[in-house]
Amino acid sequence: MNKKNILFMRYGLLTMAAALTVIGLMRQEQLLVLQKAVKICLECIGIG
């Protein structure tokens, strides 16, 4: 692979990761992840 292809792949993956992050934030998936994390923590200490 030459430098041009590597650079193209690097920026392509960066753009795709940013786009998927924005889509996840628009769908408010961070709230679901936080709720699941709280449930797991509460189960570990025996409250939930």
Side-chain angles (χ1 to χ4, degrees), residues 26-41:
M26 286 179 12
R27 293 180 58 185
Q28 296 184 351
E29 291 182 2
Q30 74 276 12
L31 299 175
L32 181 62
V33 171
L34 181 62
Q35 288 174 352
K36 287 182 179 183
V38 169
K39 284 182 185 179
I40 289 173
C41 286

Side-chain angles (χ1 to χ4, degrees), residues 7-32:
L7 194 61
F8 178 74
M9 286 177 37
R10 183 180 295 168
Y11 285 121
L13 288 174
L14 181 63
T15 303
M16 190 180 307
L20 290 173
T21 300
V22 169
I23 290 170
L25 289 172
M26 286 179 12
R27 293 180 58 185
Q28 296 184 351
E29 291 182 2
Q30 74 276 12
L31 299 175
L32 181 62

